[in-house]
Amino acid sequence: GARSTKMNLISTPIILAPGPDGMMPGVGGFANVDSNTSTGSFESSGGPTGDFFNKSGAKIGTDGIKDGKKYVVGNSSEAREINRTDKKGGTTQVSGVSSAEILPSDAALVESLDVLDRTEAKTPKDPNGGLHGESSLVMKDGTVIRGASGDAGFINGSNELQADEKLPNLPAGTTLSDVEVTIHSHLTGTMLQNGQIYSHNSQPSGIDIGTFGHYGTNIIVSPSGQATAINNNRRINISQPGNVISIFRGSSTTPSIQLTTKAVQRIINSN
């Protein structure tokens, strides 16, 4: 189906992103690993105390436990209470914060921003950037494996904006249980064709969900919603929501955490 944008001048199809056939395949269907591999490390027990952050990425308090864990507190009232306790020199236990969601490692957060940057960068197949997918695996030992850049997006036979890329292979000697998080992007650019504006959003596709079920944590980097367009005296004005980092647990279709890229950067820089 299709929904109408402002002034009903250009319709915006409800796009299923990413497209079928090759996007985020399940076990045994990964693409070849490229040579772009980096390593990082997790904070171990005895390191920094566990910290709480609000949805804007601001540090609001600590639990006083030296385990290096980071949590986002989604409830504003709980966030304010944690911050008041912190200003008094106190600590807050995560067991008493119903809206606290544990974040992936810093290595995963950093790599999620890198996947977004790579998606928006130009490639030989996507000369303007933003219309191809990227992916990475972050292992529990901190190793980052980056997948090859996907082909340029295109309008498929179902009138959807399709983008095909695959997760990289697991490193030799590892299994799915060694993966901390998968990361892949939905397209951040838009395509105008036949009087319609096509775009992606943060909603996982059926193929995404099939892949997600094999891993504990999965991240999609994408616009927060679909683009709209207005025809203003034959000039097309396209409006697109900002990019977000959506964190999914297992095969859930609802993100447990969704943060702006600015919030993620603030959390990373809090160290």
Side-chain angles (χ1 to χ4, degrees):
R3 62 182 176 85
S4 297
T5 62
K6 301 173 185 177
M7 298 177 66
N8 202 28
L9 293 172
I10 299 179
S11 63
T12 306
I14 298 175
I15 308 305
L16 299 178
D21 300 328
M23 182 61 175
M24 295 294 289
V27 178
F30 301 116
N32 293 327
V33 184
D34 70 2
S35 60
N36 195 352
T37 302
S38 62
T39 59
S41 61
F42 293 94
E43 295 169 325
S44 60
S45 178
T49 56
D51 293 331
F52 295 101
F53 298 84
N54 63 20
K55 291 183 290 187
S56 298
K59 182 179 175 181
I60 55 175
T62 178
D63 61 6
I65 300 172
K66 293 185 177 182
D67 57 9
K69 295 179 179 178
K70 294 181 178 181
Y71 306 88
V72 168
V73 179
N75 182 277
S76 298
S77 296
E78 287 187 324
R80 287 193 294 270
E81 182 60 32
I82 292 170
N83 194 227
R84 283 194 289 266
T85 299
D86 184 68
K87 289 180 178 179
K88 295 177 183 178
T91 60
T92 300
Q93 298 309 301
V94 68
S95 59
V97 186
S98 62
S99 67
E101 289 283 351
I102 191 168
L103 285 164
S105 66
D106 282 354
L109 295 179
V110 169
E111 185 60 16
S112 68
L113 296 180
D114 192 85
V115 168
L116 179 60
D117 287 343
R118 296 189 335 250
T119 301
E120 298 194 318
K122 299 176 182 179
T123 70
K125 295 180 180 180
D126 177 19
N128 293 317
L131 285 174
H132 73 280
E134 296 281 352
S135 65
S136 291
L137 295 175
V138 179
M139 310 302 287
K140 290 178 180 177
D141 67 359
T143 302
V144 176
I145 310 298
R146 293 175 178 161
S149 298
D151 291 338
F154 62 96
I155 309 304
N156 64 23
S158 299
N159 200 34
E160 300 166 346
L161 178 56
Q162 179 174 332
D164 299 328
E165 90 274 350
K166 299 178 182 180
L167 288 175
N169 279 336
L170 294 172
T174 65
T175 67
L176 295 175
S177 63
D178 296 313
V179 177
E180 184 210 357
V181 63
T182 75
I183 308 170
H184 81 281
S185 63
H186 289 181
L187 305 189
T188 59
T190 61
M191 188 175 292
L192 184 64
Q193 185 172 304
N194 300 326
Q196 293 179 318
I197 183 73
Y198 296 82
S199 65
H200 281 182
N201 56 26
S202 60
Q203 182 65 32
S205 72
I207 293 176
D208 285 348
I209 299 305
T211 300
F212 283 7
H214 298 289
Y215 303 92
T217 303
N218 304 279
I219 294 176
I220 294 176
V221 297
S222 68
S224 61
Q226 288 185 287
T228 58
I230 299 175
N231 190 336
N232 186 9
N233 294 326
R234 297 184 179 180
R235 180 176 181 179
I236 307 301
N237 295 319
I238 297 173
S239 177
Q240 189 172 30
N243 293 323
V244 292
I245 309 299
S246 302
I247 302 171
F248 299 83
R249 306 300 183 193
S251 58
S252 174
T253 60
T254 303
S256 61
I257 311 169
Q258 189 172 80
L259 299 168
T260 65
T261 54
K262 182 177 180 181
V264 171
Q265 191 66 64
R266 290 182 74 182
I267 291 169
I268 293 169
N269 291 340
S270 68
N271 295 333

